[in-house]
Amino acid sequence: MSVDTVNGTEDPADETNTADEAGWEVEPGDESGAAVVAAVGRQIRFWREKRNMRAADLGAQLGYGEDLIRKIERGVRIPRPEFLDNVDRVLDADGNISVMKKDIEEVRYPKKVRGLAKLEARAVEFCMYSNATIHGLLQTEEFSRALLRTYRPAYGPEELERFVKARVARRAVLEKDPVPEFSFIQEEVTLRRPFGGKMVLRRQLEHLLEVSELPNVDIQVMPTACASHPGPGGRIALLKFGDGTAAGRSDGSFNGQPVSDLKRLRILELRYGIIRSAALTPAESRDYIEQLLGET
């Protein structure tokens, strides 16, 4: 069991050509994902040839160039779900292409995000302390874009978009059934840094207030003025699973590596509990976020 970057981690360029609208390049080194995309590509080619249609003709009917169709058929480009639906319709494939949307649902996201999403899908309890940015599961899409645009070296437009879409998809765990329990602790500074400008921050703070109303979500603020702050070691993330196992990670412990053994998990749980007890209560935190919203 592992946790890569359990504290969340996007935006396409303002101008995107039609070819880019169809999907993303397969990530180098993602062998399992490449195999799935290649299988989807072979299926598309099978139905195209069965209908005696050239790649250029298929592209013309879909509004894309022949080169894009060839890339998807060769398995070097990941098609979007709507692209598969349109191909299925044009080729009259009786749903045999559309049904493969499930196969590419995961591989369209970066490999490191897929592993994290699988762990989050299993988790029944989340304990997340964030000291640099608002946790990814709490970010609005536009805030994520603004934040990721500050990364250096900079992401390319396509890579940036993949991370944004993956982040948005991960947020579904907040409302899945049965609902997990969430505990988020945010450093005050993360609620003040205006990535993307004041209006982006305002909408982000409004979103935090909305999420905090969910009965399974606690959001707590750690004030900067807290002199006896117990969390200088950096982020902490704990995911607990229904079978009694767990996975965790902390920037300041165990060389920052993911852990799953009971002894180390106990240390992270203890540290998280101390931080949680020193933070504002959920009700106090909500009032504080409302105050910040009024100042922004």
Side-chain angles (χ1 to χ4, degrees), residues 47-55 57-59 61 90-91:
W47 282 94
R48 176 177 63 78
E49 292 179 344
K50 184 176 182 179
R51 303 304 184 202
N52 296 314
M53 185 181 292
R54 299 181 306 165
D57 296 332
L58 176 60
Q61 291 201 41
V90 170
L91 296 180

Side-chain angles (χ1 to χ4, degrees), residues 12-34:
D14 293 333
E15 297 182 1
T16 309
N17 62 41
T18 54
D20 286 337
E21 292 286 348
W24 306 273
E25 296 294 328
V26 176
E27 186 178 5
D30 185 3
E31 296 179 0
S32 60

Side-chain angles (χ1 to χ4, degrees), residues 130-134 143 186-193 201:
S130 303
N131 65 340
T133 63
I134 293 172
F143 187 89
Q186 292 289 155
E187 282 292 330
E188 176 187 340
V189 66
T190 68
L191 309 179
R192 291 182 175 275
R193 187 162 289 128
L201 179 59

Side-chain angles (χ1 to χ4, degrees), residues 42-97:
R42 287 194 298 270
Q43 185 78 343
I44 293 174
R45 182 175 180 179
F46 168 81
W47 282 94
R48 176 177 63 78
E49 292 179 344
K50 184 176 182 179
R51 303 304 184 202
N52 296 314
M53 185 181 292
R54 299 181 306 165
D57 296 332
L58 176 60
Q61 291 201 41
L62 295 170
Y64 300 111
E66 177 182 1
D67 181 60
L68 175 71
I69 302 301
R70 296 288 188 189
K71 283 184 176 181
I72 290 176
E73 290 185 347
R74 294 199 310 270
V76 298
R77 193 167 187 85
I78 305 169
R80 293 177 185 265
E82 58 270 23
F83 178 88
L84 295 182
D85 284 334
N86 290 333
V87 171
D88 193 283
R89 173 181 51 80
V90 170
L91 296 180
D92 192 21
D94 300 320
N96 286 285
I97 294 175

Side-chain angles (χ1 to χ4, degrees), residues 256-275:
Q257 296 300 307
V259 297
S260 58
D261 62 283
L262 293 178
K263 183 177 179 179
R264 292 181 175 182
L265 286 172
R266 174 58 181 158
I267 293 173
L268 295 185
E269 284 188 293
L270 176 63
R271 190 168 299 159
Y272 186 83
I274 295 173
I275 296 172

